Amino acid sequence: MISRSPSLSAPPPGSRRPSRPSVTRRLSSAITSAERGQDGSTVELQLDEEIDEIRRYEDFTTIDWVQDAAREEIRRKAQRQEYAGFFDREGGVGWRRKLWESYDAGQAWIVVTLTGAAIGLNAGFLNIVTEWLSDVKLGYCTTAFYLNESFCCWGAENGCEHWHRWSSIWPVNYLLYMVVSIIFAFTSASLVRAFAPYAAGSGISEIKCIIAGFVMKGFLGFWTLLIKSIGLPLAIASGLSVGKEGPSVHYAVCTGNVISRFFDKYKRNAAKTREILTACAAAGVAVAFGSPIGGVLFSLEEMSSYFPLKTMWRSYFCALVATAVLAAMNPFRTGQLVMFTVRYDRPWHSFEIIFYIIIGIFGGLYGAFVMKWNLRAQAFRKKYLSQYAVAEATVLAAATAVICYPNMFLRIDMTESMEILFLECEGAHDYNGLCETNKRWSMIFSLAMATVLRVFLVIISYGCKVPAGIFVPSMAIGASFGRMVGILVQALHESFPTSTFFADCEPDVPCITPGTYAFLGAGAALSGIMHLTVSVVVIMFELTGALTYILPTMIVVGVTKAVGERFGKGGIADRMIWFNGFPFLDNKEEHTFGVPVSRVMISDVTALPATGLSLAQLEKLLTEQKYQGFPIVEDRDSSILIGYIGRTELRYAIDRAQKEQALAANAQCYFTTPPEPTVSSIPPVSFDTIASASGQKVADFSRYIDPTPLAVHPRIPLETVMELFKKMGPRVILVEHRGRLTGLVTVKDCLKYQFKVEASENVRDNSALEERHERLWELMQRLCAWVLGGITSFSSGRIRIGSRTGEETYPSVERSSASPTTGGHVLDGTEDDRSGVELNDR
């Protein structure tokens, strides 16, 4: 088996989680099928449910989809047999059985309905709170303090007398803007640090791995949902260059996970739960963009590695319910689901394709540039700043406020900025002279500065320990660049109105609509950062409702995709999976290694002989080895493969025997049918029989093994094995030759070999980058010491911030001891770690 990574820590032998004793007591109370008079399938169901009760506590493991599917069939068969006598009357199927079967089959629709409604309510609440908190930085409403600027000025045509700035003095407003931003960022980061570290970031990359079968306990829990919902509006209102669309997917999936836990069908079946999580991801995008169809396509294109037809229907229904609830709430009181919804009725012209291509090229270059430098910023953050998460977010908010306030497009919320940039000039509100000809060049300069500064802020802000997405910041960057291009094209047309180049323009009708360029720029930047195509086109179409601009959007997204693919495969979510070392095989990647699986497999396998092991030897094996399963062979000399037993199943079987104190330490354990007479490994719980059972020397564990594990030939191509992992989802694949076990392979082994091949093909020297990171860290330390010293001197020693011995800690998913440039490990579930695990990067 695979050796345990040195960075993983396991609890000392004999230690237990606080919640484990109650599970053990439930397991020890199980009695044999002979006492209950149950048939074989019901007994197997009972054992599977009790084992699953243990397995769901295990963190950082992978799901075996093949076993989950088999258990679901056993569950259905056992339930039909168990309730057959109760539901059937006089040989016929009674109405109660039909009702029960309908309920069992319709649980999925009940879950997606409840989840969709909850997601819609949460999205409406977050929209209202976020808009109010963003406006509080700039002023207040005299009629009601809880109203944001748009509601306070509802119906006002020329100015708004009810909305006041905090002060008539510009520097005072500037200072208050900074102070409020710092408070919001500090509060959000502190909540995340104290209650739910998993609530930080976007969560899309982790959810992709979870849907693919990776278990991350707590990532989709109630506390993560609560803190994400509270911290997200605070993080956005702080002015940080982060968005809420990525976190919308996270809190939507959290909602689905929490609600599905109340249904037994999903509580113990991870494969079924993943179908619900996929549907919730679609609903999260639907409420974020007001695009239910786009959400379904996003879930299909980006999130799910397995998307059957029934999952598509459930995703569509969940997105529909969530969008309907959000529309009923009408958070903006405009009938729009998102603030930047627009409608275009003017046609586009063929000569504009040239400028559309320019916007598409910008989108591809933007995505490649931001992903490259953001990963470097993430490496620096993980190595040097992971212990200062709250301080980092607070300083970033202060710096962002200082930089953004002077710029009219950076000062306001990004969604409000896009709403302004998308609008047509004629008949619409003119934001500070955006549509005035005499202010055209000043607007171009402001838009260019907004684009450059926002790109820089996105690079350093995305990844800090607050709820943070990158969708809306990227769209805001694309919108500012696109609007700038549109104004330049408009100026070019006005300078040469009779040119042949503009022959398609109709007289007395505005020829160029700069808002459409902003709209296309937003789509290009979103496609560039996520490497999405079809879902972006549909989302942008649902935002505008205009069939006219589908072809320009397709052109822009196609050019963006082509340019982005030149700089690497995968979007920011895929790069973060690679960076963190998660065990994820991407269906979109194609590899040709030309090697058999024997080059990758683990040959030194810890296998268990079918006979000859004592109970004490098995206990010692489980204590010393941390593998998640063991192959069963006929004997260690012949290595004839018989089956496979998971660590959870083996631990469960031994615990049941030991709890009843029925087996001696030297009792022989059989993984095949023991010789007659057989004695059950779990004797009846009775004072009459305990005396006769106390001397038994044989334990039958044959019922716990998988007699038909997935096995392949040593010469099978590695690409075929990787496809088996992608399509079937087993935890481990055994390698056997003529019936003899020769090795085994996991997802981790495949990824290790893939990374090794990629590293040999792209040799890089990171010493110069490490040196620059070290110099930057020293500069930051000196600057911090200078600032803190100045505060202490200014206050005559009354204010002291920081100490030499105390430092902020982050209870954590990451540790700063991991170097971002050294080879980290890939987590694939072969680790048995219940006290935490380090998600080291590569």
Side-chain angles (χ1 to χ4, degrees):
M1 294 293 291
I2 302 170
S3 61
R4 183 179 175 79
S5 174
S7 63
L8 296 174
S9 58
S15 63
R16 288 286 190 268
R17 279 192 168 183
S19 60
R20 195 60 59 89
S22 62
V23 178
T24 307
R25 284 194 297 268
R26 287 196 295 271
L27 297 181
S28 64
S29 65
I31 58 179
T32 60
S33 60
E35 288 185 300
R36 296 281 305 269
Q38 296 170 320
D39 60 2
S41 61
T42 306
V43 174
E44 292 297 326
L45 175 64
Q46 179 186 353
L47 293 176
D48 288 339
E49 288 180 349
E50 293 171 354
I51 292 173
D52 289 341
E53 187 73 13
I54 300 177
R55 183 182 289 111
R56 69 189 186 93
Y57 287 96
E58 295 180 358
D59 200 6
F60 295 98
T61 58
T62 50
I63 296 168
D64 195 314
W65 301 108
V66 179
Q67 289 186 5
D68 262 25
R71 289 194 185 95
E72 177 64 14
E73 290 301 321
I74 293 175
R75 184 192 71 86
R76 291 180 179 178
K77 180 180 179 181
Q79 285 189 342
R80 283 196 298 266
Q81 293 177 353
E82 181 180 356
Y83 295 122
F86 176 76
F87 286 134
D88 298 352
R89 292 293 182 268
E90 298 179 359
V93 179
W95 64 270
R96 286 180 294 183
R97 178 173 179 178
K98 293 180 179 179
L99 183 62
W100 174 82
E101 290 179 346
S102 300
Y103 168 73
D104 186 67
Q107 282 189 42
W109 298 102
I110 297 173
V111 172
V112 296
T113 302
L114 295 176
T115 303
I119 293 171
L121 290 172
N122 198 12
F125 164 76
L126 293 181
N127 285 337
I128 295 171
V129 174
T130 301
E131 191 176 1
W132 178 74
L133 290 176
S134 300
D135 289 344
V136 162
K137 296 187 300 181
L138 302 174
Y140 63 97
C141 184
T142 57
T143 56
F145 183 76
Y146 56 85
L147 294 179
N148 57 41
E149 184 176 3
S150 60
F151 282 175
C152 185
C153 302
W154 192 267
E157 294 293 338
N158 299 318
C160 180
E161 59 181 11
H162 299 297
W163 181 263
H164 291 179
R165 297 286 178 179
W166 289 110
S167 174
S168 58
I169 305 174
W170 185 83
V172 175
N173 289 328
Y174 196 174
L175 180 62
L176 289 175
Y177 182 90
M178 290 178 52
V179 170
V180 176
S181 298
I182 291 172
I183 292 174
F184 286 165
F186 176 80
T187 305
S188 179
S190 299
L191 288 173
V192 170
R193 173 180 175 270
F195 297 103
Y198 279 141
S202 171
I204 289 182
S205 57
E206 290 86 352
I207 292 172
K208 287 186 67 173
C209 297
I210 289 173
I211 292 177
F214 190 51
V215 178
M216 297 178 68
K217 184 190 172 186
F219 193 85
L220 303 178
F222 174 77
W223 276 105
T224 303
L225 170 62
L226 180 63
I227 299 303
K228 194 93 173 184
S229 301
I230 297 174
L232 181 59
L234 292 169
I236 296 172
S238 69
L240 289 170
S241 294
V242 297
K244 65 180 179 181
E245 274 62 21
S248 296
V249 177
H250 190 182
Y251 74 69
V253 176
C254 287
T255 305
N257 182 68
V258 171
I259 292 178
S260 65
R261 296 295 96 184
F262 293 100
F263 295 82
D264 289 337
K265 184 177 181 179
Y266 298 98
K267 187 176 182 180
R268 295 188 178 93
N269 191 293
K272 290 291 182 182
T273 304
R274 263 53 187 183
E275 297 177 3
I276 300 298
L277 301 186
T278 304
C280 294
V285 175
V287 296
F289 292 103
S291 172
I293 301 177
V296 175
L297 291 176
F298 174 85
S299 183
L300 170 63
E301 187 175 0
E302 177 67 11
M303 300 301 297
S304 181
S305 56
Y306 176 66
F307 204 83
L309 183 62
K310 63 178 180 180
T311 302
M312 183 183 71
W313 278 112
R314 290 169 184 170
S315 300
Y316 172 76
F317 186 75
C318 189
L320 176 63
V321 172
T323 308
V325 171
L326 181 62
M329 291 185 66
N330 194 14
F332 304 112
R333 294 298 184 267
T334 59
Q336 299 176 352
L337 298 180
V338 291
M339 188 182 296
F340 44 86
T341 301
V342 290
R343 293 291 181 267
Y344 296 124
D345 53 6
R346 295 175 185 167
W348 57 280
H349 307 90
S350 58
F351 66 85
E352 294 181 280
I353 294 179
I354 297 176
F355 305 107
Y356 296 160
I357 293 176
I358 294 175
I359 293 175
I361 293 173
F362 167 80
L365 295 176
Y366 160 78
F369 180 81
V370 168
M371 282 188 283
K372 175 182 177 179
W373 288 97
N374 178 256
L375 287 180
R376 293 189 175 184
Q378 297 272 33
F380 179 84
R381 174 180 289 114
K382 182 170 289 189
K383 186 174 182 180
Y384 298 103
L385 300 177
S386 61
Q387 294 182 339
Y388 309 98
V390 176
E392 179 200 1
T394 306
V395 171
L396 277 176
T400 302
V402 171
I403 294 173
C404 292
Y405 190 82
N407 189 287
M408 54 184 292
F409 297 107
L410 297 178
R411 183 187 313 142
I412 58 179
D413 182 63
M414 285 178 287
T415 55
E416 185 180 353
S417 172
M418 281 193 290
E419 180 188 21
I420 294 167
L421 295 174
F422 285 176
L423 290 177
E424 300 178 359
C425 285
E426 288 75 14
H429 176 63
D430 185 13
Y431 178 71
N432 289 0
L434 180 62
C435 297
E436 295 180 11
T437 306
N438 57 348
K439 295 184 179 181
R440 177 173 291 162
W441 295 107
S442 64
M443 287 296 154
I444 290 176
F445 176 77
S446 295
L447 289 169
M449 290 301 299
T451 303
V452 174
L453 291 176
R454 185 74 77 187
V455 169
F456 170 73
L457 292 174
V458 166
I459 289 173
I460 64 174
S461 299
Y462 182 69
C464 65
K465 300 305 179 183
V466 296
I470 201 171
F471 285 14
V472 163
S474 298
M475 293 178 69
I477 291 169
S480 58
F481 177 82
R483 186 80 184 204
M484 181 181 67
V485 172
I487 293 175
L488 288 173
V489 175
Q490 190 179 44
L492 183 65
H493 171 258
E494 292 180 0
S495 300
F496 306 97
T498 59
S499 173
T500 307
F501 186 76
F502 299 107
D504 291 344
C505 295
E506 299 179 4
D508 302 327
V509 175
C511 182
I512 305 298
T513 306
T516 60
Y517 288 79
F519 161 76
L520 295 173
L526 178 59
S527 176
I529 199 66
M530 294 299 297
H531 278 219
L532 301 176
T533 52
V534 179
S535 56
V536 171
V537 173
V538 174
I539 288 173
M540 302 309 288
F541 161 68
E542 290 187 276
L543 282 176
T544 60
L547 288 169
T548 307
Y549 282 88
I550 280 190
L551 183 58
T553 306
M554 294 175 67
I555 293 173
V556 169
V557 170
V559 173
T560 298
K561 179 72 170 178
V563 173
E565 292 291 333
R566 299 289 299 175
F567 295 93
K569 302 287 185 179
I572 187 68
D574 299 308
R575 303 293 177 89
M576 290 305 300
I577 292 174
W578 173 88
F579 179 80
N580 287 315
F582 292 140
F584 180 75
L585 290 173
D586 195 349
N587 284 329
K588 297 188 287 290
E589 292 184 358
E590 295 181 359
H591 300 283
T592 304
F593 299 110
V595 298
V597 70
S598 58
R599 290 277 299 274
V600 182
M601 71 180 186
I602 300 298
S603 301
D604 185 15
V605 179
T606 302
L608 305 181
T611 60
L613 284 180
S614 66
L615 199 63
Q617 289 175 318
L618 286 179
E619 280 281 10
K620 182 179 179 182
L621 179 69
L622 289 177
T623 303
E624 295 177 351
Q625 306 291 348
K626 303 301 178 183
Y627 309 135
Q628 285 296 311
F630 304 92
I632 307 297
V633 295
E634 190 172 280
D635 57 70
R636 285 173 175 165
D637 294 330
S638 66
S639 296
I640 300 298
L641 181 63
I642 293 179
Y644 183 86
I645 186 169
R647 182 186 186 88
T648 305
E649 286 82 355
L650 183 57
R651 179 75 268 171
Y652 168 77
I654 295 175
D655 283 348
R656 286 187 62 150
Q658 289 182 334
K659 278 295 178 181
E660 302 301 333
Q661 299 180 353
L663 292 177
N666 62 348
Q668 295 297 305
C669 302
Y670 285 82
F671 294 98
T672 57
T673 303
E676 296 293 340
T678 61
V679 182
S680 173
S681 62
I682 293 85
V685 183
S686 170
F687 285 102
D688 297 331
T689 59
I690 193 170
S692 60
S694 60
Q696 62 187 45
K697 300 294 184 180
V698 177
D700 181 8
F701 292 159
S702 60
R703 67 165 63 183
Y704 301 105
I705 74 167
D706 178 11
T708 56
L710 188 59
V712 297
H713 194 276
R715 290 197 295 270
I716 193 172
L718 176 60
E719 297 85 352
T720 304
V721 174
M722 295 178 72
E723 286 299 316
L724 288 174
F725 278 118
K726 293 177 185 178
K727 304 299 184 184
M728 299 186 65
R731 174 181 289 179
V732 62
I733 295 178
L734 304 181
V735 182
E736 56 91 14
H737 179 57
R738 296 180 178 177
R740 297 169 58 92
L741 178 69
T742 59
L744 61 80
V745 62
T746 66
V747 174
K748 179 178 180 179
D749 302 317
C750 298
L751 289 173
K752 277 185 174 180
Y753 186 81
Q754 175 184 331
F755 295 157
K756 180 180 178 181
V757 171
E758 292 175 352
S760 62
E761 294 176 352
N762 303 286
V763 180
R764 296 180 181 179
D765 184 12
N766 292 321
S767 58
L769 178 62
E770 292 179 1
E771 184 179 352
R772 288 195 295 269
H773 280 181
E774 191 66 33
R775 289 201 302 267
L776 177 60
W777 176 239
E778 293 176 357
L779 176 63
M780 292 175 64
Q781 287 179 314
R782 289 197 296 268
L783 179 62
C784 182
W786 177 76
V787 171
L788 297 181
I791 294 175
T792 303
S793 300
F794 180 77
S795 62
S796 301
R798 288 188 297 270
I799 301 177
R800 294 180 180 271
I801 303 176
S803 65
R804 294 184 178 180
T805 59
E807 62 181 2
E808 175 187 318
T809 59
Y810 195 78
S812 142
V813 183
E814 304 160 337
R815 305 283 177 87
S816 60
S817 59
S819 172
T821 56
T822 59
H825 66 276
V826 181
L827 304 174
D828 73 332
T830 59
E831 304 85 356
D832 179 40
D833 184 35
R834 295 172 181 170
S835 62
V837 68
E838 299 173 5
L839 301 185
N840 289 350
D841 56 287
R842 292 181 50 253

